Amino acid sequence: QVQLVESGGGSVQAGGSLRLSCEASGYTYSSYCMGWFRQFPGKEREGVAIIDKDGSTSYADSVKGRFTISKDNAKNTLYLQMNSLKPEDTAMYYCARYLARSVCKRLASNDVAYWGQGTQVTVSS
């Protein structure tokens, strides 16, 4: 049974940093594209960053240069380091595992096979 458990969300002032973690279990962690998505109230989930099996990454334009996605295959854990946070980054953040057949090149929720439960990030001005 695939499980994705996020942690690390919270409240921070603008300009601050947070690191999200996502511990995965129930499958061969290193074999899949993984990513982070976020959802604003009343909006659909949008892609933030993805990381492929070989470690290559893609980012949404809105977070480039501020957020860094990484993974530790030995710990089955995905990370999102968020720096220079802005109030507009306030959202629920979700860890995602892509479908096995997905090409890890686009930030697309349709390519996601499994979601975590989400962790709230709140940035105050």
Side-chain angles (χ1 to χ4, degrees), residues 5-125:
V5 180
E6 299 104 332
S7 61
S11 297
V12 66
Q13 288 193 323
S17 299
L18 284 172
R19 188 176 82 155
L20 306 183
S21 299
C22 170
E23 188 169 350
S25 61
Y27 68 99
T28 304
Y29 176 75
S30 61
S31 299
Y32 294 88
C33 175
M34 299 289 295
W36 290 96
F37 286 68
R38 64 187 180 185
Q39 189 167 19
F40 304 109
K43 303 288 188 181
E44 294 189 358
R45 288 181 194 180
E46 64 177 38
V48 175
I50 53 175
I51 185 166
D52 206 346
K53 298 181 292 293
D54 63 0
S56 58
T57 58
S58 296
Y59 294 90
D61 287 344
S62 58
V63 306
K64 280 181 182 176
R66 301 188 299 123
F67 291 10
T68 303
I69 189 171
S70 62
K71 61 178 181 171
D72 185 333
N73 289 336
K75 295 181 179 179
N76 289 358
T77 302
L78 180 73
Y79 302 100
L80 184 69
Q81 178 66 44
M82 304 185 294
N83 298 329
S84 302
L85 281 161
K86 304 175 181 180
E88 52 263 44
D89 293 318
T90 295
M92 185 72 78
Y93 284 72
Y94 295 90
C95 175
R97 198 209 84 178
Y98 272 35
L99 293 161
R101 66 176 184 271
S102 297
V103 176
C104 197
K105 296 296 182 186
R106 58 178 193 167
L107 300 164
S109 58
N110 286 344
D111 287 340
V112 175
Y114 296 95
W115 297 98
Q117 82 284 358
T119 186
Q120 178 68 37
V121 171
T122 302
V123 185
S124 58
S125 57

